[in-house]
């Protein structure tokens, strides 16, 4: 039990980026656009944040925060590609997302080659510092984002309109909502949040960006969205579960009674749990009804 | 017919032809890649001479010729073509198989086990390993198809989950083999290997192997199933219009599951070809080989046909095996990944080409109407 309490800061460290990214993915799907580019957008955010931080860390104490902002903006900018392709040009959303994932791997290492003359960013001296009780501020950022998303999606007219675009875009349009504009906002928000998530990840968990920095966190976030049934509290719970499982896989060596199991066992757990729950709760489809479908204005 | 209307028809024809779109998309990707190389102040000639050397073995910078580069190019294309076939087969049934990576890994793992523990009889040994890989990959894909058909679990999320399960399970199982350290098993017996002395000699010692024939046969099988069998017809009908297929009495559940089984078998074979062709020992995977993910791009560019996938696989294989040559010419090798990514994004815009076509058709209809009104 003591072990588990001691693990809380590291669990939160791992959960936070997944949760932030998953919130973005949820908002995006709520508006009717599937964003499987979360993984790539997180990579772009992480690369940008690591680069900015290493370049200015000696000149300003606010470097970490500037880096996170830069990462968020980079995620937002790249997500414009996905938004333009899938909303304005009716592109296949899964294919466009896959393209961005491929592009992110190549693009970030390419830029690293150009800027640092190697396949990774130069390591920074000091990442983000943990706060009270060894908990990183990223946990509070994540909490704030969950509460804010919930408030906007479920307590503001704007949120109602956004959700309508994902459930029944034609009905939303006939009620006077600009469906395309709403979807743009949602995709850009998810790009921004994925950028924040990637920045948080790189600044708390490692000292530089490499191709393996994100290592599936974006895909886990994507799964957390469907496992959490597209609800803020569900997605938060799912992210917490996945993050704990990932942390367990890292820390299991410290737990005497579980040592007979290989670490791969714990690495597999979150994915198996997701699959099983997806099957168990398959009776009703919880996904926004129009998620993944391009919206075409009827008539002309 | 005046020149202007002729141009119009040509553009229409280009936009409505899948082949023309694929070719222009690839050219556009290369153009962007070239501009990028120029933008960072390198000479794009280095990129193209690296590609030429990969394709022909001709080294223009030194004026030498070595056929080994051609062999390496073909060898790099083999798993890409097979993973492309996997993606393409699922796509013909209207499924998006991001799981080729996982199916590739289980195939690779199964092949490694048979290579180490199977009967050491020449030919039979690697045949059994290939069979095991196809079955393992088919099972891994079939599970996804079954979950999709029976419980409507999204194949996108399910395959991503199973990719990770496959990766970690492969590490776990492989490390159980006696004599295995953190990255490799003991060496395979010679009877398990796909390498062939004749091919080896012809290509001046490249790693090209009998997997070449596995790929050719797979392409033929793909074409035959899709075009010439009842199953293929039913699958294509399901992919084109699920509801219409159901009303026509086609069993969708069975169709989706069998489609994913066959798709998985192709990816599983890719794993075996890499394991037994390019390596002489079993690997404890340290990361993804990414053939499965790149197979997505291959199938998209190849328009999900057997021939197209083969050509696209050779193209992406060329990009992959040109990487070290580019690096030696001061071209950041990541430019090839950027080209692949851009090609996929451009391909996703196919719907946009249809919008253009529709607009043009509408405009023409309006013009015709105007003319008849006059």
């Amino acid at each position: 039990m003591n072990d588990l309490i001691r693990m809380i800061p590291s669990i939160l460290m791992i959960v936070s980026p997944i949760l932030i990214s998953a919130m973005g993915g949820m908002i995006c799907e709520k508006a009717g656009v599937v964003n499987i580019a979360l993984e790539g957008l997180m990579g772009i955010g992480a690369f940008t944040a690591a680069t900015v931080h290493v370049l200015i860390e000696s000149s300003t104490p606010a470097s970490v925060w500037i880096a996170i902002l830069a990462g968020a903006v980079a995620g937002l900018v790249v997500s414009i590609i996905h938004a333009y392709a899938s909303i304005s040009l009716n592109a296949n959303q899964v294919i466009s997302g896959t393209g961005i994932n491929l592009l992110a791997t190549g693009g970030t290492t390419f830029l690293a080659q150009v800027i640092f003359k190697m396949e990774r960013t130069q390591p920074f001296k000091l990442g983000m510092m943990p706060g009270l009780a060894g908990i990183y501020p990223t946990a509070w950022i994540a909490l704030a984002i969950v509460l804010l998303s919930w408030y906007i999606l479920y307590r503001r007219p704007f949120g109602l309109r956004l959700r309508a675009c994902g459930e029944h875009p034609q009905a939303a349009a006939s009620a006077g909502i600009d469906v395309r504009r709403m979807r743009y906002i949602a995709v850009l928000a998810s790009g921004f949040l994925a950028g924040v998530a990637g920045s948080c990840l790189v600044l708390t968990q490692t000292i530089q960006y490499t191709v393996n920095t994100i290592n599936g966190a974006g895909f886990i976030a994507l799964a957390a969205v469907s496992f959490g049934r597209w609800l803020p509290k569900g997605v938060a719970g799912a992210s917490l579960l996945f993050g704990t499982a990932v942390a367990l896989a890292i820390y299991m060596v410290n737990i005497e009674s579980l040592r007979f199991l290989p670490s791969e066992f714990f690495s597999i757990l979150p994915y198996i749990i997701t699959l099983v729950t997806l099957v168990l709760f398959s009776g009703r489809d919880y996904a926004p009804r129009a998620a993944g479908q391009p919206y075409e204005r009827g008539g002309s | 017919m005046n020149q202007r209307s002729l141009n119009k028809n040509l553009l229409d024809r280009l936009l409505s032809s899948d082949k023309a779109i694929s070719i222009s998309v690839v050219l556009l990707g290369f153009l962007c890649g070239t501009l990028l190389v120029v933008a960072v102040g390198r000479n794009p000639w280095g990129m193209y001479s690296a590609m030429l050397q990969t394709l022909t073995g001709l080294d223009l910078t030194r004026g030498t010729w070595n056929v080994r580069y051609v062999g390496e190019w073909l060898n790099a294309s083999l798993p890409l073509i097979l993973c492309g076939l996997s993606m393409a087969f699922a796509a013909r049934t209207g499924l998006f198989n991001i799981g080729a990576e996982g199916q590739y890994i289980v195939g690779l793992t199964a092949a490694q086990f048979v290579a180490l523990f199977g009967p050491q009889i020449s030919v039979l040994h690697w045949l059994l390993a290939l069979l095991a890989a196809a079955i393992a990959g088919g099972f891994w894909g079939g599970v996804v198809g079954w979950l999709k058909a029976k419980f409507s679990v999204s194949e996108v999320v399910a395959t991503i989950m199973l990719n990770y399960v496959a990766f970690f399970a492969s590490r776990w199982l492989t490390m159980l083999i006696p004599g295995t350290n953190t990255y490799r098993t003991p060496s395979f017996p010679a009877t398990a290997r796909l390498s062939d002395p004749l091919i080896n000699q012809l290509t001046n010692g490249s790693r090209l192997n009998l997997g070449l024939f596995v790929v050719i046969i797979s392409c033929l099988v793909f074409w035959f199933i899709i075009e010439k069998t009842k199953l293929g017809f039913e699958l294509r009908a399901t992919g084109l219009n699920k509801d219409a297929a159901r009303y026509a009495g086609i069993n969708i559940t069975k169709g989706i599951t069998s489609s994913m089984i066959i798709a998985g078998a192709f990816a599983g074979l890719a794993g075996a070809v890499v394991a037994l062709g390019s390596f002489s020992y079993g690997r404890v995977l340290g990361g993804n080989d990414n053939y499965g993910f790149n197979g997505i791009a291959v199938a998209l560019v190849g328009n999900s046909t057997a021939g197209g996938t083969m050509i696209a696989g050779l193209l992406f294989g060329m990009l992959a095996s040109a990487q070290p040559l580019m690096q030696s010419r001061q071209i950041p090798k990541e430019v090839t990944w950027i080209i692949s990514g851009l090609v996929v994004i451009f391909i996703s815009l196919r719907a946009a080409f249809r919008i253009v076509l529709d607009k043009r058709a509408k405009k023409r209809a309006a013009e015709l109407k105007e003319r008849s009104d006059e």
Side-chain angles (χ1 to χ4, degrees):
Chain A
M1 200 58 216
N2 266 341
D3 285 330
L4 209 61
I5 291 171
R6 235 176 297 141
M7 275 176 61
I8 286 177
S10 10
I11 290 176
L12 290 177
M13 174 186 84
I14 291 167
V15 167
S16 307
I18 295 175
L19 182 49
I20 296 170
S21 186
M23 277 296 138
M26 184 191 78
I27 294 170
C28 200
E29 294 200 18
K30 281 282 188 199
V33 181
V34 172
N35 192 352
I36 73 160
L38 290 180
E39 175 86 6
L41 293 169
M42 280 180 79
I44 284 159
F47 167 78
T48 313
T51 306
V52 169
H53 184 57
V54 81
L55 293 179
I56 63 170
E57 71 177 326
S58 51
S59 51
T60 160
S63 165
V64 170
W65 304 104
I66 298 172
I68 291 181
L69 195 66
V73 171
L76 183 143
V77 169
V78 175
S79 70
I80 293 176
I81 302 177
H82 186 55
Y84 184 67
S86 52
I87 301 166
S88 297
L89 299 178
N90 294 349
N92 181 321
Q93 296 168 9
V94 178
I95 299 178
S96 138
T98 308
I100 291 180
N101 284 337
L102 287 172
L103 200 61
T105 331
T108 50
T109 23
F110 181 86
L111 287 173
Q113 287 273 14
V114 173
I115 301 173
F116 300 106
K117 307 269 181 293
M118 53 182 177
E119 287 180 359
R120 43 186 67 200
T121 65
Q122 199 180 313
F124 41 80
K125 287 191 211 77
L126 217 53
M128 186 184 269
M129 295 312 287
L132 195 68
I135 294 170
Y136 283 102
T138 53
W140 309 117
I141 299 178
L143 186 65
I145 287 171
V146 174
L147 293 176
L148 194 69
S149 319
W150 169 80
Y151 178 74
I152 292 176
L153 281 177
Y154 289 93
R155 287 290 177 272
R156 304 298 311 163
F158 174 82
L160 180 67
R161 290 184 196 130
L162 189 140
R163 286 185 288 135
C165 296
E167 288 293 339
H168 203 313
Q170 280 78 14
S174 64
I177 299 169
D178 187 343
V179 175
R180 295 198 165 180
R181 189 173 148 257
M182 277 296 181
R183 288 190 166 186
Y184 260 98
I185 294 174
V187 174
L188 297 193
S190 81
F192 184 88
L193 290 179
V196 173
S199 315
C200 289
L201 193 157
V202 80
L203 292 171
T204 55
Q205 297 177 21
T206 168
I207 50 158
Q208 63 189 170
Y209 171 84
T210 74
V211 209
N212 294 321
T213 298
I214 304 301
N215 199 18
F219 287 132
I220 296 182
L222 192 69
V225 176
S226 41
F227 182 24
R229 299 193 205 165
W230 291 266
L231 294 171
K233 62 173 185 215
V235 175
S239 308
L240 202 61
L241 182 72
F242 290 157
T244 312
V246 174
L248 261 180
I250 299 169
Y251 283 86
M252 58 86 46
V253 273
N254 299 326
I255 303 173
E256 201 67 44
S257 52
L258 293 175
R259 206 169 278 173
F260 66 98
L261 290 165
S263 73
E264 279 79 10
F265 175 81
F266 293 94
S267 308
I268 287 179
L269 262 186
Y271 308 109
I272 296 272
I273 292 172
T274 316
L275 258 185
V276 171
T277 26
L278 284 177
V279 173
L280 287 181
F281 294 104
S282 66
R284 210 182 108 201
D285 210 352
Y286 298 92
R289 238 171 302 156
Q293 286 157 18
Y295 165 68
E296 293 177 55
R297 249 174 289 209
S300 59
Chain B
M1 193 183 274
N2 62 27
Q3 189 60 39
R4 194 157 152 252
S5 67
L6 191 74
N7 285 344
K8 242 187 200 170
N9 287 339
L10 196 65
L11 184 62
D12 280 343
R13 217 174 297 158
L14 275 178
L15 284 177
S16 55
S17 150
D18 281 344
K19 276 189 197 127
I21 288 187
S22 281
I23 293 170
S24 20
V25 152
V26 168
L27 290 179
L28 206 56
F30 271 91
L31 181 69
C32 293
T34 312
L35 291 177
L36 199 64
V37 170
V38 176
V40 295
R42 310 285 160 82
N43 186 352
W45 166 241
M47 182 168 94
Y48 288 102
S49 80
M51 289 179 185
L52 184 78
Q53 187 176 351
T54 311
L55 289 175
T56 63
L58 214 57
D59 185 351
L60 291 180
T61 50
R62 259 181 260 142
T64 53
W65 182 70
N66 188 344
V67 73
R68 191 167 57 83
Y69 290 104
V70 183
E72 289 297 337
W73 160 44
L74 293 176
N75 190 44
S77 309
L78 300 181
L80 287 171
I81 296 173
L82 286 169
C83 287
L85 290 178
S86 167
M87 171 74 196
F89 201 90
R92 291 301 274 274
T93 322
L95 299 166
F96 195 82
N97 179 19
I98 313 192
E101 191 67 34
Q103 294 144 16
Y104 165 88
I105 291 173
V106 291
L108 177 135
T109 314
Q112 289 183 167
F113 267 88
V114 175
L116 286 168
F117 301 112
Q120 297 185 20
I121 303 164
S122 60
V123 183
L124 183 73
H125 195 177
W126 56 255
L127 266 182
L128 278 177
L130 286 176
L131 187 69
I135 292 173
F139 171 75
W140 213 246
V143 168
V144 176
W146 184 72
L147 290 178
K148 162 103 181 170
K150 199 88 185 161
F151 303 98
S152 59
V153 172
S154 148
E155 81 271 25
V156 174
V157 178
T159 46
I160 290 174
M161 296 299 109
L162 282 176
N163 285 348
Y164 287 99
V165 175
F167 176 73
F168 290 113
S170 167
R171 281 179 58 84
W172 183 358
L173 290 173
T174 311
M175 279 198 279
L176 291 178
I177 297 171
T180 302
N181 58 25
T182 50
Y183 73 96
R184 62 165 287 181
T185 70
S187 294
F188 295 148
T191 46
R193 304 227 37 221
L194 283 173
S195 54
D196 179 78
L198 183 66
I199 300 179
N200 199 285
Q201 206 182 346
L202 280 175
T203 59
N204 195 13
S206 82
R207 286 176 299 172
L208 188 63
N209 53 69
L210 294 171
L212 181 66
F213 299 103
V214 176
V215 170
I216 294 171
I217 293 168
S218 298
C219 284
L220 291 173
V221 167
F222 179 104
W223 171 82
F224 185 79
I225 296 179
I226 286 283
E227 306 289 344
K228 296 288 167 198
T229 63
K230 180 164 162 272
L231 176 72
F233 174 76
E234 290 184 352
L235 294 182
R236 275 185 294 148
T238 310
L240 289 172
N241 189 335
K242 211 166 147 187
D243 297 320
R246 183 178 292 127
Y247 294 131
I250 292 171
N251 184 341
I252 307 277
T253 312
K254 200 184 117 213
I256 290 178
T257 312
S258 27
S259 166
M260 284 301 291
I261 290 177
I262 297 170
F266 283 126
L269 279 177
V273 165
V274 170
L276 309 176
S278 299
F279 290 89
S280 57
Y281 54 86
R283 283 181 299 155
V284 179
L285 295 175
N288 281 325
D289 285 350
N290 281 328
Y291 289 122
F293 290 119
N294 290 321
I296 299 173
V298 170
L300 288 171
V301 173
N303 292 319
S304 301
T305 63
T309 303
M310 193 174 214
I311 295 171
L314 289 171
L315 173 79
F316 283 92
M318 185 271 284
L319 284 176
S321 63
Q323 282 195 347
L325 293 171
M326 286 191 188
Q327 203 73 337
S328 71
R329 288 170 167 81
Q330 275 78 48
I331 305 285
K333 65 177 194 295
E334 290 74 21
V335 73
T336 60
W337 296 345
I338 296 182
I339 294 177
S340 322
L342 285 173
V343 164
V344 174
I345 292 178
F346 294 146
I347 285 265
S348 78
L349 301 183
R350 209 168 259 169
F353 295 122
R354 295 227 173 88
I355 299 178
V356 176
L357 269 183
D358 280 354
K359 273 200 183 137
R360 291 171 64 86
K362 261 184 207 157
K363 202 172 144 201
R364 196 158 330 122
E367 269 174 19
L368 275 178
K369 193 164 172 289
E370 233 169 63
R371 215 171 293 164
S372 64
D373 285 348
E374 281 167 13

